[in-house]
Amino acid sequence: MQHGRCDCGGVSFDLEGELRDVYNCHCDRCRRVTGHHMAATAVHPDNLRFATDTTLRWYEPSPGVHYGFCGHCGSTLFWKADAESTKICIAAGSLDQPTGLRTTKAWWVAEAGDYHDRQAGVAEFEYED
Ligand SMILES: [Zn+2]
């Protein structure tokens, strides 16, 4: 079981089962929404249980794509797509340490911030693989 929360605690949750490796998404949208890039693990939505979600808000920049964030403190928390109903992505930085996770993939690297240095050991993909 892994616990996560936003900075102010208005959103607090537990993740059950095995967590996916952390994947970085450098697409233009994730870069702007997160302020750098999305770094997220993922679980089946059934394995995400909220202790509290009173300040959870969703931003839908295009139909069927949703970013979850705290409406009070602004923490980036989740990403999900209606077309991928078997997973929800969880911002890795929201999890309590230690996570035991590794970053293994980077997507949309052509849209990465030009200040971003590549990470050794992270496989890069032009788009989402
Ligand atoms: Zn918050």
Side-chain angles (χ1 to χ4, degrees):
M1 180 109 84
Q2 184 77 46
H3 179 256
R5 63 172 175 84
C6 69
D7 188 57
C8 76
V11 183
S12 179
F13 56 90
D14 291 308
L15 304 176
E16 295 175 347
E18 193 162 339
L19 307 188
R20 191 196 68 186
D21 285 350
V22 173
Y23 297 169
N24 293 338
C25 185
H26 292 276
C27 80
D28 185 89
R29 180 177 285 157
C30 281
R31 197 183 73 237
R32 292 178 194 279
V33 168
T34 65
H36 186 194
H37 60 73
M38 180 64 85
T41 182
V43 297
H44 190 283
D46 291 346
N47 291 338
L48 166 62
R49 298 183 191 285
F50 287 101
T52 179
D53 63 355
T54 53
T55 58
L56 179 60
R57 302 290 180 270
W58 292 96
Y59 168 53
E60 187 174 3
S62 59
V65 174
H66 312 266
Y67 287 87
F69 64 100
C70 175
H72 180 66
C73 70
S75 298
T76 297
L77 296 169
F78 306 112
W79 181 93
K80 65 181 181 179
D82 293 348
E84 299 179 54
S85 61
T86 60
K87 78 169 183 190
I88 183 165
C89 296
I90 300 97
S94 68
L95 301 177
D96 292 351
Q97 301 284 328
T99 67
L101 295 170
R102 292 182 61 237
T103 302
T104 56
K105 291 184 183 179
W107 287 338
W108 296 92
V109 292
E111 297 182 12
D114 57 9
Y115 51 84
H116 174 72
D117 290 327
R118 293 176 167 192
Q119 281 177 271
V122 175
E124 295 188 343
F125 298 88
E126 188 172 359
Y127 306 105
E128 182 173 343
D129 77 328

